[in-house]
Amino acid sequence: MSREELTRPTGIGNDTCGKDDCPNVYRTDSGAFVVQGAMSHAFAAPDGEALVKIPEEILREAVRALGW
């Protein structure tokens, strides 16, 4: 899946951290979410999974943008 196939409800109009390198929440066409953030090493994730850190304000922005 490419980035162009995802809906980006966060970071729209926000140029504070570059075009595509900010922590973000993306939504797939099936309704699942893809989260982009800094890697976290809080604990070992199972094979095939990763941990990322994402600021609370990004999650709040996603909730507002999705109308929840």
Side-chain angles (χ1 to χ4, degrees):
M1 174 177 303
S2 70
R3 183 178 291 173
E4 291 74 28
E5 296 175 87
L6 302 170
T7 301
R8 181 179 171 183
T10 58
I12 307 301
N14 180 354
D15 294 328
T16 60
C17 54
K19 182 176 175 154
D20 294 320
D21 61 350
C22 304
N24 275 298
V25 174
Y26 298 90
R27 191 168 192 187
T28 69
D29 58 0
S30 68
F33 292 93
V34 176
V35 177
Q36 175 185 347
M39 288 194 66
S40 172
H41 301 287
F43 60 89
D47 286 344
E49 296 184 7
L51 303 174
V52 298
K53 295 185 278 187
I54 187 162
E56 180 180 337
E57 62 267 16
I58 297 298
L59 295 177
R60 290 181 182 274
E61 181 182 352
V63 168
R64 278 192 304 276
L66 294 168
W68 294 352

